[in-house]
Amino acid sequence: MADPRFFVRSGPFALGALAERVGARLAEGVDPARMVVDVAPLDRAGPGDISFVDNPKYLEALATTKAGAVILSERHAARAPLGSARMLSAAPYLAYARIAQAFYPAPRPEPGISAGAHVDPSARLGEGAAVAAGAVIERGVEIGPRCVIGAGATLAPEVRLGADCRIGAGVHLAYCLIGDRVTIHQGTCVGQDGFGFAPDPKGHVKVPQLGRVLIGDDCEIGANVTIDRGAGPDTEIGAGSWIDNLVQIGHNVRLGRGCILIAQSGIAGSTVLGDFAVVAAQAGLTGHLRIGAGAQIAGQAGVMRDVPPGAKMGGSPAVPIRDWHRQTLALEKLAKGRQEEDP
Amino acid sequence: MADPRFFVRSGPFALGALAERVGARLAEGVDPARMVVDVAPLDRAGPGDISFVDNPKYLEALATTKAGAVILSERHAARAPLGSARMLSAAPYLAYARIAQAFYPAPRPEPGISAGAHVDPSARLGEGAAVAAGAVIERGVEIGPRCVIGAGATLAPEVRLGADCRIGAGVHLAYCLIGDRVTIHQGTCVGQDGFGFAPDPKGHVKVPQLGRVLIGDDCEIGANVTIDRGAGPDTEIGAGSWIDNLVQIGHNVRLGRGCILIAQSGIAGSTVLGDFAVVAAQAGLTGHLRIGAGAQIAGQAGVMRDVPPGAKMGGSPAVPIRDWHRQTLALEKLAKGRQEEDP
Amino acid sequence: MADPRFFVRSGPFALGALAERVGARLAEGVDPARMVVDVAPLDRAGPGDISFVDNPKYLEALATTKAGAVILSERHAARAPLGSARMLSAAPYLAYARIAQAFYPAPRPEPGISAGAHVDPSARLGEGAAVAAGAVIERGVEIGPRCVIGAGATLAPEVRLGADCRIGAGVHLAYCLIGDRVTIHQGTCVGQDGFGFAPDPKGHVKVPQLGRVLIGDDCEIGANVTIDRGAGPDTEIGAGSWIDNLVQIGHNVRLGRGCILIAQSGIAGSTVLGDFAVVAAQAGLTGHLRIGAGAQIAGQAGVMRDVPPGAKMGGSPAVPIRDWHRQTLALEKLAKGRQEEDP
């Protein structure tokens, strides 16, 4: 179970209620009143725990689990041991995620402004919002109901947050308008000047950055991320996008809905990503590109051209991922051939 | 126009005054008393706005712009529509940058120490300097006139700032001497220990890092950048250098004047860059290299050898950029050949 | 010598006492009572300074040094000039590191809680601990004796620090248990949610991250690093590991003892590194890998498969480093051949 110093567990819950909550159903014969007290992975779960299996490579672990209940798809149902109550779902991991959220809801600090916070009198806080010690809320800021502002976070003048946002410790927000239910983790910086200047040997001259950052509802943004504000147009993060740690987003970038950007990837200025595009770790996209909806960019790829919707790209410079694998194999064979020639 | 909640516009300005201010001249017949009220891109500008064209690929947008005035070079002057007053400049983007600065000067908070700032009594602040809430100014710090210190920024003992610096929210400065007119954006860390230790299986032993960070005048440094202090010699950032977000600069690195380091690039310890060298995004330079003045390193390149002045390098390991392009093409052809052989 | 505004020097020390302190011995004829006042590199050292030579490429500098004393190995002893007292060590750089620490011990602020710090009454501080202005110590935190907490650092509820830790300015710690003598530099974030969600077109669903971050004794962690907490298991940093700036460590990652992770490298979730593994700058490791003890991953490598103990890997995708060099050469030759064919 999770360390109780850090995590407060809710429950127990009846299987029937959980199934209803997540849109799953119990297999025949399972008592909907049967209680579970915690979530756990298959190999560590006990009779009071609910677990799940989604990836077939865990079917072996399923066979020997001691979990009191298991969420799984119909086609795997027969593989569960007799002692485990089966909860059937077309998307077991999704159902598990929601059940884990029921057991471990995000902690909610006492509403109100901590004694050590610095809040400008012109700022407006929604009902139930909480501001931790050391946070700085500047002139004209608007914070929606039930938002949580972490220790040492700073909100520059006129920043807007919707409802139920969670702003981590040491997050720095400026020139931005943020939707509802947005989570931003520790140390992330939003809204600083984009990297815009007119190069000149007598001294590069800054071009004022006159846009904002717009972040849609339900986004999750990691730690020590940087999102520059637009140069004139805005930088936009589409609703439901997930951004991992240490990602760089340049000015005027536009992400569609549900995009996924994995750690240390970077998107240069004015590039546009369609809905549900995925950029894997340490990949880089140059500026002014159009990346189609659902495109997938492999880790460490270097994308320098537009990418059609749904395409998978890899390598640096990036090519369709099959071509990249072919290149990798061809180079391996070439090098081996040479090795035989010149030992 | 820029969101007035975030941006305060100056002006209007007469075209004649603006031309004089930026070293441009008005075309024949343009009334120097004609006023403009804002800057805007060609496609969104109206009769009150001034715009610019520099890159020939925007000549089409020029033909149909409704901008009241356009900055452009003599050779493009005939392409402007009749309604747009022409301001002639050999460097239109540079002129535009300066005019945009006139309309949108950097905001200047009220001078003085905010109630929520923590300033050691031994620190000295120049006239007109402003320190925001939550900032911490430690023993012996000297801050020049008109500097702006953001919310939650921390200046460790004895740090020096020249005049007119702008230190963003949550910037952490230690062991550094900073010139005039330096801007550092949110979350950047300057002056922590370099990565220096004597490896030992019984426990790596730290080598005290006894140098400083020296930052020249007119530098611009992005968000969440890291600049380590020197190990004995200093780490030096030459005057007028521009550093983008999430860049890493190791101990003893020396940048010449006007260097440009783009997002997520990294320079390992003791490497020296000549004046106006450019390192593109996600490129890495190993330690103890000499990179000549004006050299250009492509995105994601991995530089492991000295680079002569003016050279352009790409690839990992990096080679002259033409060779890199040749390698890329050769590998593509090789993979296609193989594909035909082994379908 | 180091800038006395920033560095306070101890000493002078007698050579005999220093040799004893670091397990070295003085060459025949050296007076153990001879004093030295500072450390310096060979080419800048004067008669009062002690220097060292380890890498043979500095033997030339040794020949002409004016250092009063030099630490070096027996086989190089004859190369030192007559005026320099020789201190013999099998590991000169290690001995130098310890002597430099004697001259420049890490600065120790006055113990106690600064007036501008925010410390929850339930937090417990060990004897001699110091908390700087702007730091926020939340409910239930335990800080060991002689720890130093920097300006603006934030420690979330229930965080534990052992003895003699140094937490830099603006470090953000949550959900973590930290050993003794751990140093964390400015801006680093520990313990935020790992990147865990069930993807869904109707909105990705967060999987609660129920693990912690465990950091062993004697670790050194750079600036603006991100270390996510575990998803259920913990994220673990083995004792004596050194992590450079801007490194990303995903959830459930386990580092063995003495690992070295260089700047901007990244380790994806659930990957395990054996003792003393080294990951060079900008390298990336995908998730769920096993990297053997003592393995070395080259800069910018992209590791997608398990790596055996002691192996050296390079390239993206990574291969044994010799194969990578062969591939690099083969590609160079191929491109040159093509160039001759199609000029």
Side-chain angles (χ1 to χ4, degrees), chain B residues 202-265:
Chain B
K202 281 174 286 180
H204 310 309
V205 175
K206 181 198 276 278
V207 175
Q209 300 291 299
L210 303 173
R212 305 160 300 180
V213 177
L214 309 181
I215 299 181
D217 295 339
D218 299 299
C219 288
E220 174 106 9
I221 299 175
N224 280 347
V225 168
T226 54
I227 305 179
D228 286 350
R229 74 173 184 270
D234 295 313
T235 302
E236 297 180 37
I237 309 297
S241 290
W242 276 62
I243 299 176
D244 200 355
N245 299 339
L246 291 169
V247 167
Q248 150 72 359
I249 297 187
H251 56 188
N252 311 343
V253 163
R254 295 205 324 261
L255 303 188
R257 286 182 311 115
C259 288
I260 295 171
L261 273 54
I262 303 180
Q264 296 176 317
S265 58

Side-chain angles (χ1 to χ4, degrees), chain B residues 158 187 189-190 192 197 201 204-206 209-210 212 224 228 246 248 264-265 283 301-302 316 330 333, chain C residues 3 5 7 93-94 98 101 104 169-170 185-186 220 224 240 242 245-246 258 264 276 282 300 332 338-339:
Chain B
E158 304 291 341
C189 295
V190 176
Q192 58 281 340
F197 59 91
H204 310 309
V205 175
K206 181 198 276 278
Q209 300 291 299
L210 303 173
R212 305 160 300 180
N224 280 347
D228 286 350
L246 291 169
Q248 150 72 359
Q264 296 176 317
S265 58
S316 178
K333 285 211 177 174
Chain C
D3 185 334
R5 289 174 295 187
F7 301 96
Y93 189 42
L94 208 59
R98 294 207 170 95
Q101 288 182 0
Y104 295 97
H185 291 286
Q186 311 184 119
E220 175 105 9
N224 280 348
W242 276 62
N245 299 340
L246 292 169
Q264 296 176 318
F276 297 99
Q282 298 185 335
Q300 297 189 330
E332 269 177 28
R338 295 199 60 80
Q339 184 185 359

Side-chain angles (χ1 to χ4, degrees), chain C residues 164-184:
Chain C
D164 298 295
C165 292
R166 293 178 166 269
I167 305 303
V171 167
H172 305 295
L173 304 179
Y175 298 93
C176 59
L177 307 177
I178 294 180
D180 297 336
R181 297 173 303 280
V182 170
T183 294
I184 304 182

